[in-house]
């Protein structure tokens, strides 16, 4: 129900943008956002942890067959969706999409909006538009990291659903959940997967608050304290701080997306990326050599791998200006050979 309502809200917003034709969203592929899997994955990601926890509770504590089947279905969905996301990333990056770095950005702009933008390599197949909710938050070499977030949420839900018969057992459960959060923090610190620095900072703080809150709560259970003690109060404050940080992050995300749409920089980068040789699935140029006695036409074809080599397949990628300079150099070399190149 939650996924359906959230999807309906997002679809209504996109339909409103389509009907009103607001100036700052003109030219955006809004219909691409409406196509699968962009909106469904976005909605499911927001509600993933609740779905996983509810499924585990029904699976472990369900007393009726329909409850067990509902819980089992929810867990299967929570396993299938991350596998699907991972497969889509493997098929699409960097063959159909790359992370395009933008050197013109200021430090503040880079902190809030990221070092660049995801762009599609094929103009006739706007992969980023349909998969923006999957890769937008991550760098190119870490585009699969969303699967790690899914796995951590599923592990926490499984641990939280474990039956316990004592306060010590409750403490063990809370401590195990804290260990999962610590592992996730270490992975983020080592891999640094986010395209925006503020996402990494907010994740470190929010995950740290949750991990310390769980540790304090586990210590309270180990001491035989159920609630209304200093340890549990500190844990509650830390959990509240994590929620506030995540809400603030969501608000900043909305504000920065509006800012990017208004400035039109994302659209500009995508258009310029398609102008780089190899941006389409098959970039071809016709070179004509003229002589006094005959005219010979020789086709030259550059595959889509050319764009990947231009932009780079690593996390750092290649800067837009460097790609433009190589494009100009390619044209000059053809002109020096008395070739007329038409793109």
């Amino acid at each position: 129900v939650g996924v359906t309502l959230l999807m309906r809200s997002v679809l209504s917003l996109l339909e409103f943008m389509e009907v009103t034709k607001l100036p700052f969203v003109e030219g955006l592929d809004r219909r691409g956002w409406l196509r699968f899997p962009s909106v469904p994955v976005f909605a499911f990601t927001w509600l993933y942890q609740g779905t996983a926890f509810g499924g585990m509770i029904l699976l472990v504590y369900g007393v009726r067959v329909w409850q067990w089947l509902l819980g089992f279905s929810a867990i299967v969905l929570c396993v299938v969706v991350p596998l699907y996301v991972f497969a889509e990333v493997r098929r699409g990056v960097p063959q159909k999409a790359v992370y395009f770095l933008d050197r013109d950005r200021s430090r503040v702009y880079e902190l809030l909006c990221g070092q660049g933008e995801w762009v599609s390599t094929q103009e006739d197949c706007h992969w980023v538009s349909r998969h923006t909710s999957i890769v937008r938050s991550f760098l190119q070499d870490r585009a699969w990291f969303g699967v790690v977030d899914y796995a951590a949420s599923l592990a926490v839900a499984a641990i939280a659903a474990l039956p316990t018969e004592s306060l010590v057992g409750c403490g063990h459960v809370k401590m195990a959940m804290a260990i999962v959060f610590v592992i996730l923090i270490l992975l983020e610190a080592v891999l640094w997967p986010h395209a925006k620095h503020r996402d990494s900072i907010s994740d470190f703080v929010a995950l740290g608050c949750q991990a310390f809150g769980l540790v304090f709560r586990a210590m309270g259970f180990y001491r035989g304290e159920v609630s209304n003690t200093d340890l549990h109060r500190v844990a509650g404050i830390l959990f509240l701080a994590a929620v506030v940080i995540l809400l603030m992050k969501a608000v900043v995300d909305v504000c920065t997306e509006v800012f990017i749409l208004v400035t039109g920089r994302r659209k500009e980068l995508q258009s310029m990326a398609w102008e780089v040789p190899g941006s389409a699935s098959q970039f071809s140029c016709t070179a004509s050599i003229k002589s006094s006695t005959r005219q010979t036409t020789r086709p030259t074809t550059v595959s889509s791998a050319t764009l990947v080599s231009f932009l780079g397949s690593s996390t750092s990628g290649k800067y837009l200006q460097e790609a433009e300079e190589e494009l100009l150099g390619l044209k000059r070399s053809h002109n020096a050979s008395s070739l007329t190149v038409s793109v």
Side-chain angles (χ1 to χ4, degrees), residues 296-332:
T296 305
T297 302
R298 181 183 62 187
T300 303
T301 303
V302 182
S303 66
S304 60
T306 304
L307 180 63
V308 176
S309 65
F310 264 63
L311 304 182
S313 59
S314 63
T315 304
S316 58
K318 175 163 285 192
Y319 286 106
L320 177 61
Q321 289 78 0
E322 296 175 2
E324 291 174 332
E325 291 171 2
E326 294 190 27
L327 173 59
L328 292 175
L330 177 64
K331 290 182 177 180
R332 292 194 190 99

Side-chain angles (χ1 to χ4, degrees), residues 36-81:
F36 183 84
S38 184
V39 174
V41 171
F42 170 80
F44 189 74
T45 299
W46 269 85
L47 302 172
Y48 182 88
Q49 191 161 6
T51 304
F53 180 71
M56 286 293 180
I57 292 296
L58 289 174
L59 196 61
V60 174
Y61 298 100
V63 295
R64 300 181 183 275
V65 175
W66 68 267
Q67 293 175 334
W68 185 87
L69 290 176
L70 184 61
F72 179 77
S73 301
I75 297 305
V76 169
L77 186 64
C78 289
V79 173
V80 170
V81 170

Side-chain angles (χ1 to χ4, degrees), residues 96-169:
K96 299 177 182 178
V98 292
Y99 189 76
F100 216 171
L101 296 178
D102 185 7
R103 184 176 285 170
D104 291 337
R105 300 191 172 189
S106 64
R107 292 292 185 182
V108 176
Y109 193 107
E110 183 176 321
L111 175 66
L112 295 176
C113 303
Q115 307 170 52
E117 295 292 343
W118 278 93
V119 296
S120 299
T121 61
Q122 303 174 12
E123 191 170 0
D124 57 348
C125 178
H126 200 343
W127 190 90
V128 172
S129 181
R130 292 182 57 187
H131 299 78
T132 182
S133 59
I134 296 177
V135 299
R136 182 72 71 189
S137 300
F138 305 105
L139 294 169
Q140 184 170 314
D141 275 2
R142 306 289 185 259
W144 48 266
F145 194 83
V147 178
V148 177
D149 291 331
Y150 286 133
S153 298
L154 187 60
V156 169
I159 294 171
L162 292 175
T164 57
E165 299 179 355
S166 64
L167 290 178
V168 175

Side-chain angles (χ1 to χ4, degrees), residues 224-268:
E225 301 170 353
V226 179
S227 60
N228 296 325
T229 62
D230 291 339
L231 289 174
H232 287 288
R233 291 192 190 99
V234 172
I237 293 173
L238 289 172
F239 293 146
L240 180 60
V243 172
V244 171
I245 291 169
L246 294 176
L247 288 176
M248 292 175 60
K249 177 181 178 293
V251 172
V252 175
D253 283 340
V254 173
C255 294
T256 53
E257 283 298 312
V258 172
F259 175 74
I260 291 173
L261 291 178
V262 171
T263 57
R265 186 57 176 166
R266 179 178 295 160
K267 177 184 174 182
E268 181 182 355

